[in-house]
Amino acid sequence: MEFGWYLPTTGDGKYVGVKPQRPATADYLISVAQAAERAGFTFLLIPTGGACLDAWLVGSMIAAHTRTLKPLVALRPGLIAPVLAARMAGTLDVLSNGRALINVVTGGTPPDLEAMGDPLAYDHDARYERTLEFLQIVKQVWLQSSGGQGDRFLSATENYQGVEKVSFSGTYYEIKNGAGFPAPVQKPHPPIYFGGSSPAGKRTAAQTADVYLMWPEPVHWIKEQIAEMEQIRHELKQEKGIDRELRYGLRAQVLVRETEDEAWQEAWEIISKVDQKAIEQASFRFDHTDATGQKRQVQLRELSRDNRYVIGPNLWAGLSIVRGGGAMMLVGTPEQVADRILEYVDAGVTSFILSGYPHLEEAEITGRLLLPVVEEKLKARQAGQVGAR
């Protein structure tokens, strides 16, 4: 089990759908990261795309101002060369003493990808084919650099002492004599987190990821996704001899308070300043996405609209009227939200990335109210299992 927090690199505040009340300054982002570390979170998701600050520069800053917190930074195939990506990740892992985590972001909205210069902005499945090649190269560079990790450059030329070269010929990449430096501290490499709900995304994730990330959905939907991933893993083993371990993660909003009434009051307050124009702009973005995961989130919002956006016990879609991505929120008392988390654990989820508005205060509140209750419930379960033997 692991719990991560989220870093608001587009700005922060108590409300969504309006201009952020707190700009994403270096001081503020460092404060959020340090609050998350004190609260007991072990890693920090640094988002990418749109109006986000660059994840790698922010991740480096966060690593320099924390002691144990692991920055989860985004690699975006198509926007960065794979050998350079491997070098950047290796460098962050070395400078953070083995704390780098890698979030592979293949998609996004086509207009955002186009604005970033991605030539495959409007070709969904091709982007995942490219991602598979990209990660094959990155992993090979990591492996080869580890073979010569004790050596140094002969000079500032393209000649490397003791570093095996990487060559690759594919549809999207041609690499000749690629060489990586430095070798990552973590072996065999920094853990790879990967989200993608389409068939192409899931098949690529099954071949490359260490943690497959999902957005919150009813538990039986999550069980179906995990079952589908396990079937893909079985097929890959039969077809290609690929037999890899895979963990499952959930990226969720959370709001816990001492009483349920207070929690729901606070949840509705978050969207209390949203106007119709913001809702229309968000709907336009959602209608023009080719991301399967986002389409599933929109489906949940529409299914729950007549029930005040309540999807199920303590699961709320209210933020999704303006917020994309993981907008579903777990709302309730520490006991209630802990029970919902354990239901996801029973479904197979072991990694949780949480967030709340504003992220500075909610990191402290969530760490103080929720995490100890989850830990206590897990210990009670384990004790019961031991006793039953």
Side-chain angles (χ1 to χ4, degrees):
M1 284 283 293
E2 62 175 4
F3 285 93
W5 194 246
Y6 177 88
L7 193 66
T9 61
T10 60
D12 198 13
K14 184 176 181 179
Y15 306 98
V16 299
V18 297
K19 183 179 179 181
Q21 297 88 55
R22 302 174 185 175
T25 64
D27 286 345
Y28 184 71
L29 296 178
I30 290 169
S31 295
V32 174
Q34 291 175 340
E37 186 174 55
R38 290 193 302 269
F41 294 97
T42 59
F43 67 104
L44 190 72
L45 173 61
I46 303 170
T48 189
C52 297
L53 299 179
D54 181 78
W56 282 88
L57 295 177
V58 173
S60 299
M61 178 185 72
I62 294 305
H65 288 85
T66 55
R67 294 182 298 172
T68 60
L69 197 68
K70 301 176 182 180
L72 175 56
V73 295
L75 282 181
R76 303 191 70 179
L79 302 180
I80 184 174
V83 175
L84 176 59
R87 287 167 169 259
M88 291 168 60
T91 298
L92 181 60
D93 204 42
V94 167
L95 295 181
S96 67
N97 295 316
R99 286 188 281 151
L101 304 176
I102 306 302
N103 181 27
V104 177
V105 180
T106 297
T109 64
D112 176 53
L113 293 168
E114 183 178 44
M116 295 290 289
D118 190 338
L120 300 180
Y122 292 88
D123 194 338
H124 177 278
D125 286 2
R127 294 199 301 268
Y128 283 104
E129 294 170 2
R130 181 182 61 191
T131 293
L132 182 58
E133 289 190 6
F134 178 93
L135 289 174
Q136 288 171 343
I137 297 166
V138 168
K139 288 186 176 183
Q140 190 63 25
V141 171
W142 282 335
L143 177 64
Q144 302 296 66
S145 65
S146 294
Q149 68 183 76
D151 298 315
R152 291 295 182 267
F153 303 127
L154 283 172
S155 63
T157 69
E158 294 181 354
N159 297 316
Y160 300 92
Q161 179 182 11
V163 178
E164 296 184 48
K165 306 302 190 297
V166 173
S167 295
F168 182 92
S169 179
T171 303
Y172 303 98
Y173 296 102
E174 291 285 338
I175 305 295
K176 183 178 180 181
N177 294 326
F181 183 89
V185 172
Q186 300 174 86
K187 300 296 184 261
H189 54 71
I192 293 175
Y193 293 67
F194 194 116
S197 298
S198 68
K202 287 178 175 176
R203 190 170 178 85
T204 301
Q207 296 178 75
T208 59
D210 298 297
V211 181
Y212 176 71
L213 292 174
M214 300 168 284
W215 286 329
E217 296 175 347
V219 174
H220 69 278
W221 284 30
I222 295 295
K223 288 180 178 179
E224 290 171 358
Q225 288 218 65
I226 292 176
E228 184 178 349
M229 287 297 296
E230 290 299 303
Q231 178 61 33
I232 293 171
R233 289 183 61 234
H234 175 74
E235 293 170 358
L236 288 170
K237 183 177 181 179
Q238 298 298 315
E239 296 170 8
K240 300 184 177 183
I242 298 174
D243 187 15
R244 307 178 61 258
E245 294 294 326
L246 186 62
R247 295 193 294 121
Y248 295 97
L250 200 70
R251 162 78 184 99
Q253 305 290 333
V254 64
L255 199 157
V256 291
R257 293 294 186 268
E258 296 286 359
T259 69
E260 186 175 9
D261 286 345
E262 183 185 2
W264 282 110
Q265 181 178 348
E266 291 282 351
W268 281 99
E269 181 67 15
I270 296 172
I271 60 172
S272 64
K273 296 185 181 298
V274 176
D275 60 25
Q276 187 60 35
K277 183 178 179 181
I279 294 174
E280 291 172 356
Q281 291 174 339
S283 295
F284 179 83
R285 292 197 310 272
F286 301 154
D287 289 343
H288 289 78
T289 185
D290 62 357
T292 302
Q294 182 61 63
K295 291 177 180 178
R296 292 169 69 100
Q297 296 284 287
V298 171
Q299 181 184 1
L300 283 173
R301 182 193 67 197
E302 294 307 307
L303 288 172
S304 63
R305 184 185 294 275
D306 294 336
N307 193 35
R308 291 176 57 82
Y309 299 109
V310 176
I311 302 167
N314 308 106
L315 184 59
W316 187 60
L319 301 186
S320 66
I321 63 173
V322 288
R323 193 197 191 284
M328 305 303 159
M329 175 174 271
L330 295 166
V331 182
T333 67
E335 287 282 335
Q336 290 172 328
V337 175
D339 286 341
R340 301 293 81 77
I341 286 175
L342 291 180
E343 289 172 357
Y344 287 119
V345 170
D346 290 339
V349 177
T350 59
S351 180
F352 293 86
I353 303 174
L354 305 178
S355 60
Y357 297 91
H359 293 77
L360 178 62
E361 288 85 351
E362 291 301 317
E364 188 278 327
I365 292 171
T366 306
R368 175 169 50 85
L369 294 182
L370 178 63
L371 296 191
V373 176
V374 174
E375 184 178 0
E376 289 171 7
K377 287 179 177 286
L378 286 171
K379 287 181 178 179
R381 280 185 167 196
Q382 294 167 356
Q385 291 171 355
V386 171
R389 296 195 186 107

